[in-house]
Amino acid sequence: MSAPVSQSTEAPSGLLITGVTLYGEGDPVDIRISGGVITEIGPELAIDGETVLDRRGQVALPGLVDLHTHLREPGREDTETIESGSRAAARGGYTSVFAMANTSPVADNQTITDSVYRIGRTVGLCDVHPVGAVTMGLAGEQLAEMGQMAAGEGAVRIFSDDGKCVHDPLVMRRALEYSASLGVLVAQHAEEPRLTVGAVAHEGPTAARLGLAGWPRSAEESIVARDAILARDAGARLHICHASTAGTVELLRWAKEQGIAVTAEVTPHHLFLDDSRLETFDGVYRVNPPLREDTDAAALREALRSGIVDCVATDHAPHASQEKCCEFAQARPGMLGLETALPIVAALFVEDGDLDWRWVAKVMSERPAEIAGLADQGRPLAAGEPANIAVIDPNGAWTVDAEGLASLSHNTPYAGTEFGASVTATVLRGAVTHDAAALATGTGAGAEEEGAAR
Ligand code: DOR
Ligand code: ZN
């Protein structure tokens, strides 16, 4: 693993964020931060020697929490490291991310999960919570030592074979039983592998016309239904990764009505894009689960609105250009997500919808923190609370430049897309982990970190 080079620390004199509205509501206030904690909130506070972040007209939200990130360390540090991914997270407004276990080697033991956690702490740009594998090597056969990983320094609280499905029902049943006794959460990548052999695109009219092998909705839905029932009988909680179909929404509705402890996430790309993008055969649009039809995306948006789907998670999946810029069927599945998630959610639900920033805080910070059991994230913006904050400029239009992102990879489907909102600052326990103004002028902590990484 690489040696991390930068750690963000709080300005010794403390921090004052000025002129923001909390959750976009009410009159502008200043937020005073000291010792990693919000100490005072009120209009036009007197500067008491603090570093000032002038953010007049902008919106303060609790720092965002991503339940689903791929950081590629150990093993593919050419595509992302814990450091570069943490920087991408900070730029996206995230103060906490869960790093998936499908690294090389797989994070199926305490040595690796603890090490991912420690590197994340040393980098200090974002809390990096290791996700532990459910099965050894993600092979779906032998359960990993979940208890050891949960008890380690990395305190693993989410287990997932993401990238692969825990497809054997008996293995999944045992995993749910163990998770219930350990008080941890199993997050399932719902894909019945017998139904997706060779599949590269959503099974529907577009794939048929383009001659691409189809991945049916039933591959996802059959596992969601099965696992909801297994979770019910094990008395366990279950989390569904990247819900992608209208049928999954109906199954989640049914499971929740039964009182089954199931939660689910949806990605920005399954909310915003559909399989019409595949017409270009551009490998940047290949992702698992695949982009579905516009009716699925609409159902997912409505499900997120209504709470049937609990939260947004990025499935940030960096890949090298040679693994994406190739024949569609050969392209690796996955796309970048951390730096564009908030602008997409803002575009769909606030700019073009009737939802507000309070709701954005719920689906991108509070609910994911709750699902993961994080006590110090997704907290109210109030005196005495940990200073984990994202500042958003609702009028900060920007155009995505794939090369300009903090990620080491460039596989964003949004290159050249203009978004209306931008993240202008992120604060983790009082430390400024992202400052767009300093980045733009090439000064300040953000810029130094930038330089250190390259
Ligand atoms: O598109 C995806 N990419 N889906 C997954 O489940 C895994 C991920 C990856 O690791 O690249
Ligand atoms: Zn997945």
Side-chain angles (χ1 to χ4, degrees):
M1 298 201 191
S2 67
V5 296
S6 61
Q7 174 150 22
S8 176
T9 49
E10 180 178 0
S13 51
L15 188 67
L16 196 63
I17 306 175
T18 61
V20 290
T21 55
L22 307 182
Y23 309 92
E25 297 166 355
D27 294 329
V29 292
D30 299 347
I31 305 175
R32 195 191 305 283
I33 293 163
S34 172
V37 171
I38 299 174
T39 54
E40 190 180 6
I41 297 181
E44 302 190 17
L45 300 181
I47 300 172
D48 190 15
E50 294 100 343
T51 303
V52 176
L53 278 183
D54 177 357
R55 291 297 185 271
R56 263 170 285 183
Q58 301 187 16
V59 173
L61 300 181
L64 309 183
V65 176
D66 189 11
L67 294 180
H68 194 142
T69 308
H70 296 273
L71 296 183
R72 306 301 191 214
E73 182 174 352
R76 285 304 302 269
E77 290 87 347
D78 59 316
T79 61
E80 199 76 292
T81 62
I82 293 168
E83 182 174 338
S84 65
S86 294
R87 181 164 294 106
R91 286 207 205 167
Y94 287 92
T95 48
S96 183
V97 301
F98 284 76
M100 278 297 171
N102 66 338
T103 49
S104 180
V106 170
D108 60 9
N109 62 80
Q110 192 200 333
T111 307
I112 297 186
T113 54
D114 281 356
S115 144
V116 167
Y117 171 77
R118 268 191 235 114
I119 295 172
R121 280 307 275 206
T122 308
V123 170
L125 291 169
C126 180
D127 285 349
V128 176
H129 296 281
V131 172
V134 174
T135 67
M136 295 306 291
L138 309 181
E141 291 166 6
Q142 190 192 339
L143 285 183
E145 276 288 357
M146 295 165 66
Q148 271 179 14
M149 289 187 266
E153 194 184 350
V156 176
R157 56 190 84 225
I158 298 182
F159 290 86
S160 181
D161 275 6
D162 180 66
K164 293 199 173 156
C165 181
V166 182
H167 60 88
D168 181 324
L170 183 59
V171 174
M172 187 60 178
R173 180 182 182 185
R174 296 278 178 260
L176 288 167
E177 288 166 351
Y178 275 109
S179 73
S181 67
L182 292 168
V184 297
L185 180 64
V186 174
Q188 176 70 293
H189 167 118
E191 174 187 354
E192 168 48 61
R194 295 280 292 149
L195 293 175
T196 61
V197 176
V200 298
H202 166 66
E203 184 182 86
T206 303
R209 187 156 23 82
L210 300 177
L212 298 171
W215 168 317
R217 294 187 181 93
S218 55
E220 174 170 311
E221 294 161 5
S222 57
I223 295 292
V224 173
R226 182 199 78 175
D227 288 359
I229 292 164
L230 290 176
R232 177 194 66 191
D233 291 357
R237 295 170 62 215
L238 166 71
H239 183 73
I240 299 297
C241 296
H242 39 55
S244 77
T245 77
T248 289
V249 170
E250 290 315 308
L251 290 163
L252 290 168
R253 189 194 315 279
W254 170 82
K256 288 185 175 195
E257 279 168 7
Q258 308 302 303
I260 300 172
V262 59
T263 55
E265 65 189 36
V266 62
T267 69
H269 47 273
H270 290 108
L271 293 167
F272 189 59
L273 305 175
D274 60 52
D275 68 349
S276 63
R277 300 273 173 158
L278 272 48
E279 301 282 352
T280 61
F281 289 101
D282 188 337
V284 81
Y285 297 113
R286 179 152 184 223
V287 64
N288 287 353
L291 298 178
R292 303 284 183 185
E293 295 178 35
D294 53 358
T295 47
D296 295 286
L300 291 165
R301 290 194 294 271
E302 185 46 39
L304 184 64
R305 251 181 102 82
S306 70
I308 294 287
V309 167
D310 298 80
C311 65
V312 173
T314 68
D315 199 2
H316 177 83
H319 289 294
S321 55
Q322 69 272 17
E323 292 161 342
K324 289 302 271 182
C325 305
C326 55
E327 194 190 329
F328 187 85
Q330 300 303 318
R332 291 266 178 104
M335 45 182 73
L336 301 185
L338 286 168
E339 294 174 74
T340 47
L342 184 286
I344 290 173
V345 171
L348 290 173
F349 296 97
V350 182
E351 294 158 26
D352 292 342
D354 57 355
L355 290 165
D356 54 17
W357 294 105
R358 179 71 71 165
W359 179 84
V360 174
K362 185 175 96 182
V363 297
M364 298 192 76
S365 174
E366 295 163 7
R367 271 307 277 151
E370 228 167 62
I371 289 168
L374 298 179
D376 60 340
Q377 299 280 343
R379 299 291 308 164
L381 294 172
E385 294 288 351
N388 298 319
I389 301 171
V391 185
I392 318 300
D393 184 353
N395 302 307
W398 65 294
T399 300
V400 179
D401 166 18
E403 306 287 325
L405 299 175
S407 180
L408 291 183
S409 295
H410 309 299
N411 55 308
T412 173
Y414 312 112
T417 303
E418 189 185 35
F419 290 112
S422 61
V423 180
T424 68
T426 308
V427 174
L428 173 64
R429 283 184 290 278
V432 179
T433 53
H434 166 58
D435 176 359
L439 266 182
T441 58
T443 58
E448 281 156 28
E449 281 155 13
E450 189 70 357
R454 303 281 154 100

